[in-house]
Amino acid sequence: KTANAGDSTKTDIGKKVKYLSEPLISSIYTADPSAHVFNGKIYIYPSHDIDAGIPENDNGDHFAMKDYHILSMDSIGGKVTDNGVALDIKDIPWAGRQLWAPDAAFKSGTYYLYFPVKDKKDVFHIGVATSANPAGPFKAEPEPIAGSYSIDPAVFTDTDGKTYMYFGGIWGGQLQRWISGKYEADGSKTDSKQEDAPAISCKVALLKSDMKTFDGAVKDAVILDSLGKPLLTKDHDRRFFEGSWMHKYNGKYYFTYSTGDTHLLCYAIGDSPLGPFTYKGVFMKPVEGWTTHHSIIEIKGKWYIFYHDTQLSGKTHLRNVKVTELQHNADGSIKLIDPFL
Ligand code: FUB
């Protein structure tokens, strides 16, 4: 695959491929699936891809989504229900354009939908909306979460009840424009441009019990190499790009993420949800399409990865969500998944 977000060509495997799994739904295009088990049922919170007729570019302007549909299924392999529009951009008071990858959480009878969208000045922030029903409809708060920026919220509740939000993405996700602590509108379009410096980290914030505000400062979710040194900007095969997720397995914290322009899903393991995390390897090879974005859940004693590719459209901005099993090896490593047979 090329390292160019504007390139929608298929993988070098070409068209004669057999996919590991099939799209979960074909009536609409869906991507960035954040899956959760609520009340024993699986709910998938994806982006809803549309063709807005916007040319592809490295900024991701062609990802011009305008609403969310939540999918649900009683079991893996079961019937998939599209629960209709759960939140529309027109009902988010502060939103400008581009409703990107969401996530959800549950606490004390309320479901929370976390979503990144550009404000009216074209700067990404993360908003929150609430509902009594996991499939919505959701009502958005009037303002974005104070102190939030960039994209791809992933919300993790630890076994002690504390909830954390991981967020951020470089390039079109704008994380590199916040290095100074303030948004730099004329900043880099890609990364820090400091090739030998530590790569820009994914961010992590503790959520207050209201689930709508950050509790204290936003921190770096640092990824270290096997020698304990932070991964560097130039290390495109291993450094964080976007699409983080957290799952806990055998008491360890598994920070998983996309490397973006090198199209890999990688994992790093730590002893705290705040990190640091030590890089362990690739756990999913590139899918068809430029972006790769996932979530991981456990249900009925098995682990699954939800992901997307472009099987239905062949176009990088019109994606379809999928699911397949994820296996942890006895030594705690994750078995490598190839999305093609
Ligand atoms: O869907 C828009 C963006 O593409 C997401 O926010 C990224 O993670 C990538 O999948």
Side-chain angles (χ1 to χ4, degrees), residues 31-32 47 49 60 63 65 99-102 116 124 151-153 168-169 173 241-244 258 290-294 308 316 319:
D32 309 322
S47 299
D49 283 355
F63 296 105
M65 299 82 105
L99 216 39
W100 281 14
F124 270 118
I151 60 166
D152 290 0
F241 187 106
E242 64 184 5
S244 64
S258 164
W290 199 90
T291 65
T292 184
H293 188 125
H294 75 293
H308 68 227
T316 208
R319 300 161 290 181

Side-chain angles (χ1 to χ4, degrees), residues 194-210:
Q194 308 285 315
E195 294 293 299
D196 292 305
I200 295 171
S201 293
C202 179
K203 304 300 166 194
V204 53
L206 182 64
L207 289 184
K208 284 190 181 162
S209 60
D210 68 1

